[in-house]
Amino acid sequence: MTTARKRIFLLGSTGSIGRQTLDVIASHPERFEAVGMTAGSDVASLIEQAQRFNCGVLGVGRQEAGDDLRASATAATVGVGLDAIGDLIEQTQPDLVVGAISGIAGLGPVLRSLSLGIDVALANKEPLVAAGELVTTAAARAGVRLLPIDSEISAVFQCLEGRPPEHLHHVILTASGGAFRDYPKEQLAQVTPAMALDHPTWNMGRKITVDSATLANKGFEVFELKWMFDLDFSQIEILVHHQSIIHSMVEFIDGSTLAQLSLPDMRFAIQYALTWPERLPTSYPRLNLADAGPLTFDTPDFDRFPSLRLAFDAGKAGRSYPVVLNAANERAVELFLDEKIGFTQIPEFVEHALEEHEPVDVKSLDVVMAVDAGARQAVSRMVPRR
Ligand code: NDP
Ligand code: MG
């Protein structure tokens, strides 16, 4: 029996997750086909990928890259801007959309895909942070699936599979601890962008690498867990595990705990999101526990890494606070990478933005984007003039 190839529309193909998704697609050409690809503005990489994967539907999210794309991809169907990317998805009718744009920019295309009745494999966590309820409601309304790509969320997904939700007691979300887990507070203030971009275990995009160093990324994963599995914030515990071998665990009501393990290579979780509920072989290096050495565990330090506390606080406060948490962080990370603010100012600016915020109900994409824009402006105003 031959199985039809799964037709995949890849949002963010030129990024770290996007490229690794193409690796997975290339490793099973009989099973997967890339029918659409998009970038932010890296047209040269997008065209190279389109040629390699024989893909005729291409988009860029950034208007300023539109002319370049139109001139370079004369044989392809092209779209410019996030709405146009949504139109491309509608025309292409893929079996699965992979959401691997970085930041809140991915929210519109993800919501559009879900409302079109298309399953989404989601790496892009910011939409779940800022608008988890909108995203999960859109999926439920259309009767489609959200499949996690983020390794910790995939771990919980795999541990929970086939079990009734009432058997779950709580989730143990593991954290590498970030590049500066052993730094005293004073030394954290001296961290430069170059230091923050040099992550010990994973090779990721710039924004998530900085988020991993501040532990904002771990705070965002708390939101992913909450929304993907309908959890209460009190059911999520964070455990520092330096080796990134155990990608997370679940404890059941009877006190039994299950864990999911693999080498830290995102292609395992990406492939599972693409093949679910099936499994296919992989050729990537495998875990050998005898070689891996000791696995260690520790509690997180909420004092040195206030981004963790801010995530729980904003999550519990609800309404539009999580939108501000995300947007203020995106802006503060940009300012840090531009050397306009220091490393420890990232959570300080986020906290100020949350304190200043007048909350509203988050009923639509438009409300999210309006609150997002306001929070970014608020953070920009906090930068001291030189
Ligand atoms: P990258 O920065 O490497 O890639 C981001 C992708 O999004 C690129 O294709 C980029 O295009 C595109 N993009 C950026 N801005 C826009 C925009 N305005 N409109 C359209 N496309 C845009 O990020 P990662 O691949 O590391 O991360 C992607 C998402 O996955 C993030 O949300 C991250 O948190 C999450 N994630 C990543 C993990 C990882 O290991 N990397 C692990 C778990 C989650 P261009 O190249 O043109 O800029
Ligand atoms: Mg993760």
Side-chain angles (χ1 to χ4, degrees), residues 125 150-152 217-218 221:
K125 55 188 76 182
D150 200 353
S151 53
E152 294 80 356
N217 179 57
K218 209 45 60 179
E221 290 176 356

Side-chain angles (χ1 to χ4, degrees), residues 16-17 20-21 24 149 266-275:
S16 156
I17 293 288
Q20 294 179 85
T21 303
V24 171
I149 285 181
M266 285 306 299
R267 293 173 300 182
F268 290 113
I270 294 170
Q271 177 165 310
Y272 192 58
L274 265 51
T275 62

